[in-house]
Amino acid sequence: MSGSERALGRNDLRTLVLAALGGALEFYDFIIFVFFATTIGQLFFPPDTPDWLRQFQTYGLFAAGYFARPLGGVLMAHFGDRSGRKRMFMLSVLLMALPTLVIGLLPTWATLGHAAPLLLLLMRILQGAAVGGEVPGAWTFVAEHVPARRIGLACGTLTAGLTAGILLGSLVAGAINRELSPAQVLDWGWRIPFLLGGVFGLGAVFLRRMLAETPVFEELRRRRALVEGLPLRRVLAGHRGAVLYSMLLTWVLTAAIVVVILLTPSLMQGLFRIPAAAALGANSLATLALTIGCVVFGIAADRIGAARALAIGCALLAVSVLWLYLGVARDATHLPPLYALAGFCVGVVGVIPVLLVQAFPPAVRYSGVSFAYNVAYAVFGGLTPQLVSLMVLRSPLAPAWYVVALCLLGLISLPLARRVVLRTAGDGALA
């Protein structure tokens, strides 16, 4: 439907830029929490709580956002398949901005007692519901705007925008930790990134008003081929193999993003006694490299095929992450270059959405991608911080081995890729 032979036009590029920028601003809102997890744990739980329990509880709040993703994703995807991608694309970012503003204004344990963490939990649930519709909706939106032979570039660019939101969060967190004393951060400085995030989110709503509905959805509507009834019911009835395959790929994605990008700065501080500012600085380099890597791997998917690009990327990621943890354990000065290399290899996640959107036909694509991605991310992404925090008690290299194991899973799942995509092509897939 998208016309694989036509060239990438100016409107396509404008759509990619605006979608990626809006995604960056929204993902910043969702992810900034993790960079201040230690501070939030001190402020929102009783002061006599043991450090390990406080960390576990704080990551539990972080996980709550992931557990809420399936509900928000399924609801938004339902209306996205029935009434249009653009409406849900705008709604998701608005629902993210408002809770982020509230978090920046929340009273802490010292003021509200038990009500403080409960209110924080509620805000994280609302954020999770918003991002549950955002990520699969954004991948679907850009993939349906560009020629089929450019889906890799589109998904890679959009994913780069999402990771740029992580980079923005890392830069803001690093600046606050450099410019303010630990006491100031604990007192009021931690609120700044959440207040900024709310403003960023409202700006993203404005940007997305400038985008047009996808040509694929417009063609479905013109042909009166929109799905009737519940899109998710059709997904579960006719595309179970695609759902399972997409969940496996999402598990690989969560290992790369959650462990390497989100948790490693805190793990480096605890395992190897690296100062917070140094760990966050290296994380900024890694996330910048990740943003570049997403585009590079996305282009590779267009050139050599998504499955082959994924295989190469998984192999490189496994080697680079193991090298990172081994190298820093021996000499902490190796952190910046090794982390940057690992971050670039995490860019293989830019290939995964290509395979996800190709796994489902257009009429139920949003619902299929959203259900598989969000359920898998809720389970694997939500439990990974707690699992890794327990694993490191046995070995400081446990986070690296976890990523290596998931990279191997990604390689093992590749034989399913051709079967799933070919079957979907017979149902009228994009590519």
Side-chain angles (χ1 to χ4, degrees):
M1 286 184 182
S2 61
S4 61
E5 298 303 320
R6 72 177 178 87
L8 197 68
R10 180 178 298 179
N11 286 338
D12 297 323
L13 294 175
R14 176 175 172 270
T15 296
L16 290 181
V17 171
L18 291 179
L21 182 56
L25 297 179
E26 181 171 2
F27 220 65
Y28 165 91
D29 286 0
F30 183 71
I31 224 68
I32 192 64
F33 182 96
V34 78
F35 292 111
F36 289 89
T38 301
T39 301
I40 290 172
Q42 294 176 0
L43 291 170
F44 283 85
F45 294 102
D48 58 348
T49 304
D51 289 341
W52 70 270
L53 180 57
R54 181 184 294 120
Q55 182 183 44
F56 192 81
Q57 291 172 325
T58 305
Y59 281 140
L61 290 174
F62 178 72
Y66 287 107
F67 293 143
R69 290 173 76 150
L71 177 60
V74 168
L75 288 175
M76 291 187 192
H78 172 85
F79 293 103
D81 280 331
R82 294 290 302 273
S83 60
R85 322 299 200 199
K86 180 183 174 180
R87 292 179 181 178
M88 297 302 105
F89 204 37
M90 293 178 59
L91 178 62
S92 66
V93 71
L94 178 62
L95 292 180
M96 176 65 73
L98 298 180
T100 305
L101 277 173
V102 173
I103 290 177
L105 299 171
L106 275 181
T108 62
W109 175 274
T111 303
L112 287 185
H114 288 90
L118 292 176
L119 287 173
L120 182 57
L121 174 63
L122 176 61
M123 294 304 104
R124 284 298 296 171
I125 290 173
L126 293 176
Q127 285 186 321
V131 83
E134 163 66 18
V135 178
W139 286 333
T140 301
F141 189 86
V142 297
E144 292 185 351
H145 262 288
V146 301
R149 60 190 177 89
R150 296 288 188 166
I151 295 177
L153 174 63
C155 289
T157 301
L158 192 282
T159 307
L162 299 178
T163 61
I166 302 176
L167 174 60
L168 182 61
S170 177
L171 292 174
V172 170
I176 288 175
N177 278 282
R178 284 193 305 272
E179 300 299 325
L180 300 179
S181 68
Q184 289 175 316
V185 172
L186 197 64
D187 185 26
W188 54 270
W190 69 273
R191 298 183 183 275
I192 295 175
F194 293 98
L195 297 175
L196 287 175
V199 176
F200 290 158
L202 294 176
V205 176
F206 174 77
L207 290 175
R208 290 186 174 177
R209 291 185 61 188
M210 303 167 63
L211 297 173
E213 184 57 84
T214 75
V216 170
F217 185 83
E218 292 288 9
E219 178 67 10
L220 287 172
R221 182 154 48 194
R222 186 188 68 81
R223 292 169 47 195
R224 298 184 179 180
L226 297 176
V227 63
E228 297 181 0
L230 294 175
L232 182 57
R233 180 178 298 172
R234 181 177 295 186
V235 169
L236 296 178
H239 303 281
R240 293 175 187 172
V243 169
L244 175 61
Y245 175 62
S246 299
M247 286 181 169
L248 290 176
L249 289 181
T250 301
W251 193 4
V252 177
L253 184 148
T254 63
I257 294 294
V258 175
V259 176
V260 182
I261 301 300
L262 301 184
L263 296 182
T264 289
S266 297
L267 292 171
M268 290 290 170
Q269 295 174 53
L271 295 173
F272 307 119
R273 299 293 183 263
I274 293 176
L280 288 171
N283 179 261
S284 297
L285 287 176
T287 311
L288 176 60
L290 163 60
T291 302
I292 297 170
C294 286
V295 179
V296 171
F297 278 101
I299 294 173
D302 288 334
R303 297 289 180 85
I304 64 175
R308 191 173 299 172
L310 180 65
I312 294 172
C314 283
L316 292 175
L317 177 59
V319 172
S320 65
V321 172
L322 196 55
W323 191 7
L324 167 64
Y325 274 79
L326 285 170
V328 174
R330 293 169 183 165
D331 187 347
T333 61
H334 292 158
L335 175 61
L338 291 180
Y339 204 177
L341 176 62
F344 178 83
C345 294
V346 173
V348 70
V349 300
V351 178
I352 291 176
V354 180
L355 294 166
L356 265 57
V357 299
Q358 290 178 341
F360 300 94
V364 295
R365 176 171 292 132
Y366 194 167
S367 293
V369 174
S370 182
F371 177 79
Y373 173 80
N374 282 308
V375 170
Y377 217 129
V379 175
F380 302 123
L383 295 178
T384 292
Q386 291 93 330
L387 177 62
V388 170
S389 66
L390 295 176
M391 290 172 62
V392 295
L393 297 176
R394 293 185 173 273
S395 170
L397 298 180
W401 286 117
Y402 178 81
V403 175
V404 169
L406 268 296
C407 287
L408 292 176
L409 178 64
L411 293 172
I412 293 171
S413 69
L414 285 176
L416 291 173
R418 182 174 176 80
R419 186 185 313 168
V420 169
V421 171
L422 284 178
R423 176 181 176 183
T424 306
D427 293 334
L430 195 64

